[in-house]
Amino acid sequence: MEQTVEQKLKALWALQSIHTKIDKIRQVRGELPIEVADLEDEMAGLETRLEKIRVELDDLEDSIVKRKNMIKDAQSAIKKYEGQLNEVKNNREYDAISKEIEIQGLEIQVCEKRIKEAEFEIKNKTEAYEKTKENLDFSKGELEVKKQELETITSETQIEEEEFLKKADIAAEKNEERLLKVYNKLRGSYRNGLAVVSIERDSCSGCHNKIPAQLQSEIRQRKKIIICEHCGRVLVDEEIASED
């Protein structure tokens, strides 16, 4: 049997009333789920940064070891060339060996400079690592607190929410498919989730704009589905709203 307009309006209002109760339960959780997700993202970023710094520190340590080995090789070469100086037979050979000693000396200077630069970078990166680690530890603590808060609130409201969700499913079945689509679209359009609203003080309780007297009269007659000309929400009269 096809529903009357009055029955359709009452079915829509009943569904809206249940969803409003569900929304209020979820509002108790506030921004906690978002805060938890943000903290988890932040921690993932900090852990990635720590790993990057660790790799950079390892590379710098390796470069220092490499430079020190190069210095040892250069020092060995200088020792060898200095020994050869005692065996030279002419100025040309002497100049050539002296040039090699000079090159190795410059190599040592460059390596020592690079080692100092690497040591300076290690100092800065170690400080950055410690600071990042400190931030990560703080975020871990914050996350534990937020998770505990969320868990407590969720456990307190979960049973009640599940009961209302079951009621919402039953109430949804009492609405015709076409109206249910409109309802869901409207509900998703507004942050407060209100798709069906009542007359309050001669105004739409959704957008608070005045409703003309003639339109109020038509709403109370319940002969057709009427929407607010300002916000597009479905309007019901005060009596239907009081049946919640």
Side-chain angles (χ1 to χ4, degrees):
M1 183 177 175
E2 189 177 347
Q3 289 178 315
T4 64
V5 172
E6 182 175 350
Q7 288 172 329
K8 291 176 183 179
L9 289 168
K10 286 183 175 181
L12 280 172
W13 180 258
L15 181 59
Q16 178 67 78
S17 297
I18 296 168
H19 276 147
T20 298
K21 287 170 184 172
I22 293 169
D23 292 341
K24 284 179 180 176
I25 289 171
R26 290 174 176 171
Q27 281 170 12
V28 172
R29 295 173 201 158
E31 299 293 318
L32 275 176
I34 296 171
E35 288 175 17
V36 167
D38 287 346
L39 278 169
E40 287 173 339
D41 289 343
E42 183 182 331
M43 283 175 58
L46 289 170
E47 284 169 350
T48 300
R49 177 163 168 70
L50 281 178
E51 181 57 32
K52 183 173 180 288
I53 295 173
R54 273 195 292 266
V55 170
E56 290 171 346
L57 284 170
D58 287 342
D59 289 344
L60 287 166
E61 293 287 356
D62 289 344
S63 74
I64 288 175
V65 170
K66 181 182 175 184
R67 296 290 179 183
K68 284 182 176 179
N69 287 334
M70 289 171 69
I71 288 173
K72 285 180 183 177
D73 291 343
Q75 287 172 336
S76 296
I78 287 173
K79 203 169 187 179
K80 181 187 74 173
Y81 289 134
E82 285 176 342
Q84 291 176 0
L85 280 176
N86 298 323
E87 300 173 6
V88 295
K89 297 174 181 176
N90 53 56
N91 288 338
R92 186 171 59 80
E93 287 182 5
Y94 183 89
D95 290 342
I97 293 172
S98 295
K99 186 67 176 175
E100 289 297 332
I101 292 173
E102 182 183 349
I103 290 170
Q104 295 302 320
L106 290 171
E107 180 72 12
I108 290 171
Q109 288 178 26
V110 170
C111 286
E112 287 174 341
K113 182 184 177 185
R114 295 287 181 262
I115 288 171
K116 284 181 181 178
E117 289 172 350
E119 288 172 341
F120 181 75
E121 275 196 72
I122 286 173
K123 179 176 177 295
N124 288 339
K125 289 187 182 297
T126 300
E127 288 175 0
Y129 183 90
E130 293 302 325
K131 182 65 178 174
T132 304
K133 181 80 167 55
E134 185 182 314
N135 291 339
L136 179 59
D137 291 341
F138 178 79
S139 293
K140 279 181 180 176
E142 283 281 288
L143 181 61
E144 285 306 311
V145 171
K146 297 289 184 187
K147 273 187 172 180
Q148 188 61 49
E149 286 179 26
L150 183 58
E151 190 177 324
T152 301
I153 292 171
T154 301
S155 63
E156 289 173 353
T157 58
Q158 190 170 8
I159 295 173
E160 188 180 11
E161 182 181 354
E162 285 174 357
E163 288 175 356
F164 279 127
L165 286 169
K166 288 175 185 175
K167 288 180 181 179
D169 288 339
I170 295 169
E173 289 174 2
K174 293 178 181 178
N175 284 273
E176 65 176 43
E177 191 175 343
R178 180 183 63 83
L179 282 176
L180 195 58
K181 283 182 180 179
V182 173
Y183 170 83
N184 288 329
K185 185 176 180 181
L186 281 169
R187 185 165 154 73
S189 299
Y190 294 101
R191 195 172 179 179
N192 59 12
L194 294 177
V196 184
V197 294
S198 62
I199 301 170
E200 282 185 12
R201 297 178 184 176
D202 301 324
S203 301
C204 167
S205 61
C207 64
H208 309 294
N209 279 291
K210 284 285 182 183
I211 301 172
Q214 178 60 36
L215 192 58
Q216 288 186 49
S217 176
E218 289 178 22
I219 293 167
R220 294 186 181 103
Q221 288 172 25
R222 306 174 190 172
K223 290 183 179 178
K224 60 181 178 179
I225 305 289
I226 296 173
I227 63 170
C228 174
E229 59 185 15
H230 298 284
C231 65
R233 292 178 171 97
V234 176
L235 291 163
V236 298
D237 61 80
E238 307 91 321
E239 190 179 332
I240 287 180
S242 67
E243 293 175 9
D244 179 20

